Amino acid sequence: MDQYSYIANSDAAYVDQLYQAYKQDPQAVDESWQQFFKGFEFSLTYGETANSTNGATSNGNGQTAAPKPSASHAEKEVSVASLIKAYRSRGHLLAKTNPLRERKDRQPRVDLPDYALSDADLDTVFESGKLLGIGPATLRTIMESLKKIYSGNIGFEYMYIRELDVKNWLRNKIEKEALTFSPTGDEKKRILEKLNEATVFENFLATKYLGQKRFSLEGGEATIPALDTIISHAAEFGVEEVMIGMAHRGRLNVLTNILGKSYEAIFDGFEGNIPQQAHGDGDVKYHLGYSSLIETKTGKKVNLKLAPNPSHLEAVNPVVEGFVRAQADEEYSSDFTKIMPILIHGDAAVAGQGIVYEVTQMAKLPGYQTGGTVHFVINNQVGFTTDFDDARSSIYCSDIAKIIDAPIFHVNGDDPEAVVFCAKLAVEFREKFKRDVFIDMVCYRRYGHNESDEPKFTQPTMYNIIDKHDNPRELYNKLLIERGDVDAELAKRMDSEFKKQLQDRLDKVKQKAEIPYKPLRLDRDWAELRFAEPEDFDKSPETGVSQDVIDTVGKALVTVPEGFKPLKQIDKLLKDRQTMLNDTKMVNWGTAELLAYGSLLLENKPVRLSGQDVQRGTFSHRHAVLHDAETNQNYSSLDHIKEGQPKFQVYNSLLSEYGVLGFEYGYAMANPQALVIWEAQFGDFSNGAQLIIDQFIAAAESKWGIMNGVTMLLPHGYEGQGPEHSNARPERYLQLYAEYNMIVANVTTPANFFHLMRRQLTWQFRKPLVVMSPKSLLRHPKCVSPLEDLTKGSFQEVLTDTYAQAKKVKRVLLCTGKVYYDLLEKQQADQRDDVAIVRLEQLAPLPKKQLDAVLEQYKNAKVFWVQEEPENMGYWTYLLRVGMNLPIIARKAAASPATGYAKMHTQEQADIVRRAFE
């Protein structure tokens, strides 16, 4: 085929490349290409069977061979093959996906002249028809097929996918089924029924609650039959649970018509009624979550959950993924075919919000994969008041899918049958390949951003079209009658039922009863817990473990498999661990931390730790996963404590804070028996996850009545590393603290950290925990704890001074965290037994009773608050808020958290210590 490579189109070069591969090994190309090349070579050799022998030649045996085709026909075969590939690659640019207006000309280059073809070739038969599975066919038939498949009401994007088997599967499904897809009569009635429900709901709310915000689905009602299809079709493949994440657009409609929430419950939200069992301050109606059990038309039962979500668009995405991962791990033994996440996006948000990229990058990572997410974009073609031309640089809002080779199905929202076809195809793709898939449903928003907003201020021409445009239910009803799919009598009956449904709602006739929700195992685990009471924080529960537990976990921490060759430094680390556990009986931070995790694993409680570089630890202190120096084989010590234990889930994350913390929050939201930890590389890197902290960690219990025990480890401490590596911003968490919504701690001993971690799962409730974790203390010679402190007692909220003599004390230095060791060094060097140093290990909730008991012994002393953070940061302003009006010794108030000059840091730190003892 080299002689035809002059054709001025890159697709011809592609065909030639395939042909060369075919000649070397026919199995190297797809079956349809094999058939094409066989036919191509046959025609080159024998030509087409002729009706006459004119121009024929003898083959020497008295037989007449058919005339060979001209070189121009062979060239055109390649051109037609190139045209077919072009339609597969760029036909979506011609697809009629916009229900309101003609699409922009994106110059798809799929016209006949682009491939040296013309109308004169339309009735010529080409072998290239085999590529479409229709056999040798005229160019006219080939073009008709291509237009129906690739430039109808669905635009398929998939040719960028690099795995040949995935691409071929999609192509075969698309090209065979798009040509023949025709829903059954029952399926058409189901589509119309779900469109009825969606429209009824919106009309009802518009009638009864005129002008109230509801963020209606009008214009995108095909979302409801799409979700109905996705869920019911997935159930046929064995899916038992579906977790949905979405923002506010259409949320109320999804709650009622997909999850089956009663209209009466929705009314309560519009009436502003307070629930009988309210916990906290509550949230607006279009942010709330819900759980239900539904039954599909074929009798399959599916647990449905809609995650609660703040107004921050797409923020719920990582939470949903984390929740699904936890459910899959615990409820379904990591079988992702049993549970499926669905994320519903807006067009402006999916293109503009960076969290979408972070979560999409998680899709194939071992620590975060969930077996494939079905993404459904409700593409309104506008973001609040912003036209899509101003909202993205890419052609499509869904182009993010291409970074993970996920296919995209663009579909016209006014064609519910096409939407349902895409829904089925998406589910089948997810089931087959266990990966993400995107549906981009192009529709419109009938009103403004909310119902009281005037969209014509900014999109007057678009909304003039919308004003005259029938809704999808009306369009589909007319289409069914015109096609004869639904007779006029049935259509009238359905229409009257539609109106009766509306009247019934207006008359407050009750809906049919919901199927009682059947709690899953993790739901039952949550039900056994309770909300915290103030007195729960007066004293921590016992969290010590037996010496047998220490010995069992300790053995795992110092043992490697036979033949495993650790690095020399790791070999020393293992010997140091053995010395601590067996000889000195004094453990450092890293060892105590791993002992805590191991002790929980022995109790069959999962432990999950993720973040940047957590397997080794940013400061090389943890070494939870070891690597063979010669083979790079991994060995996780805590996976080998005893037979049948849970796996220690420790994952180095992608370089993300927002997405990963959201994922871990979701994981902890699902499983109350798991210790779920996110560690920042440095504490202030949590800045990038502030939205998860503000909207979920700090406020979820009050807004949505859901508890969460996620733990954040934020390395913090002033050691001369500059503005970005010194301060985890504890003041932010203390400002967010109220109503016992979280725990904020800055711990100074390995034993106290051990008990703090175990306390997370010992309490009869769950609270987020924020720890200002250490850096230099990880190797500080005095930052060690006796093993016996791990085998008894509990977390100590306040640690008293063991050096000063209480009767002589005239000054008490109240502090928290690493600065204690700076003060301790000065105290002991100067033998200042008249100055007591008291450590506040837990800052919020303030352990007032415990602190008063310690300070009671220093009645005549003056108490100072000492911190190494600047005066306007750290803890002092929080202490003032909770009633502790103490003089402060600290760095001066500053705009930047720390100096970048090493000498200046040393001077400032020395000055704090000096002033503390003056």
Side-chain angles (χ1 to χ4, degrees), residues 435-461:
R435 57 201 282 181
D436 288 30
V437 56
F438 283 69
I439 299 171
D440 171 25
M441 188 184 78
V442 185
C443 51
Y444 56 92
R445 188 188 67 196
R446 184 160 291 280
Y447 304 107
H449 178 65
N450 60 63
E451 286 65 35
S452 61
D453 195 47
E454 176 51 78
K456 288 184 179 177
F457 287 151
T458 50
Q459 280 80 29
T461 57

Side-chain angles (χ1 to χ4, degrees), residues 143-426:
M143 287 298 293
E144 287 172 355
S145 298
L146 287 172
K147 288 178 180 178
K148 181 173 182 181
I149 296 167
Y150 288 109
S151 59
N153 284 348
I154 305 173
F156 297 101
E157 277 197 282
Y158 66 96
M159 288 296 284
Y160 48 80
I161 295 174
R162 283 159 283 201
E163 296 97 326
L164 192 60
D165 61 327
V166 178
K167 184 158 54 179
N168 288 342
W169 183 91
L170 274 166
R171 191 191 65 231
N172 289 333
K173 292 284 288 186
I174 290 165
E175 292 180 354
K176 288 177 182 176
E177 297 185 12
L179 280 173
T180 60
F181 178 70
S182 178
T184 66
D186 286 343
E187 287 173 329
K188 291 170 184 174
K189 290 173 188 173
R190 177 70 174 180
I191 292 170
L192 187 55
E193 178 187 327
K194 298 311 285 186
L195 285 172
N196 270 348
E197 290 175 3
T199 310
V200 165
F201 180 77
E202 298 296 354
N203 284 351
F204 167 72
L205 293 182
T207 303
K208 187 169 178 64
Y209 299 105
L210 186 65
Q212 279 208 42
K213 286 184 185 180
R214 55 190 165 93
F215 298 101
S216 88
L217 192 58
E218 288 169 271
E221 290 95 334
T223 300
I224 300 302
L227 290 176
D228 179 63
T229 301
I230 290 168
I231 293 164
S232 58
H233 202 49
E236 296 303 312
F237 289 105
V239 169
E240 298 175 10
E241 183 175 356
V242 173
M243 178 64 153
I244 302 172
M246 68 182 298
H248 40 276
R249 174 76 51 213
R251 189 181 185 91
L252 298 179
N253 210 313
V254 170
L255 277 167
T256 54
N257 293 316
I258 296 298
L259 282 89
K261 189 173 184 178
S262 71
Y263 279 76
E264 285 73 21
I266 297 291
F267 299 161
D268 278 342
F270 279 94
E271 300 291 349
N273 296 333
I274 299 172
Q276 291 181 347
Q277 294 182 326
H279 176 82
D281 297 324
D283 201 354
V284 293
K285 53 191 173 289
Y286 37 81
H287 289 170
L288 302 176
Y290 194 69
S291 297
S292 66
L293 181 68
I294 66 150
E295 187 172 326
T296 69
K297 285 292 185 183
T298 59
K300 306 281 187 185
K301 287 188 170 63
V302 183
N303 285 285
L304 295 185
K305 291 184 172 70
L306 177 65
N309 188 48
S311 279
H312 294 72
L313 304 177
E314 309 292 338
V316 78
N317 297 3
V319 178
V320 167
E321 301 292 349
F323 187 98
V324 168
R325 177 59 180 257
Q327 287 287 106
D329 286 349
E330 292 300 311
E331 198 78 49
Y332 306 109
S333 303
S334 298
D335 183 355
F336 295 115
T337 65
K338 300 291 187 185
I339 183 169
M340 180 176 71
I342 299 175
L343 293 179
I344 303 174
H345 311 273
D347 52 313
V350 76
Q353 293 288 299
I355 187 61
V356 178
Y357 183 90
E358 293 184 32
V359 174
T360 304
Q361 279 289 15
M362 293 178 175
K364 297 182 180 181
L365 301 180
Y368 307 93
Q369 63 186 359
T370 55
T373 300
V374 176
H375 300 263
F376 190 89
V377 182
I378 302 175
N379 187 341
N380 295 314
Q381 308 184 62
V382 64
F384 204 153
T385 66
T386 303
D387 288 318
F388 70 82
D389 285 336
D390 296 319
R392 62 180 185 266
S393 297
S394 58
I395 292 177
Y396 295 114
C397 62
S398 53
D399 279 352
I400 189 72
K402 296 171 186 175
I403 68 173
I404 54 168
D405 282 355
I408 310 166
F409 311 139
H410 308 280
V411 61
N412 189 318
D414 271 0
D415 184 348
E417 289 184 8
V419 174
V420 164
F421 175 82
C422 292
K424 285 188 171 183
L425 182 58

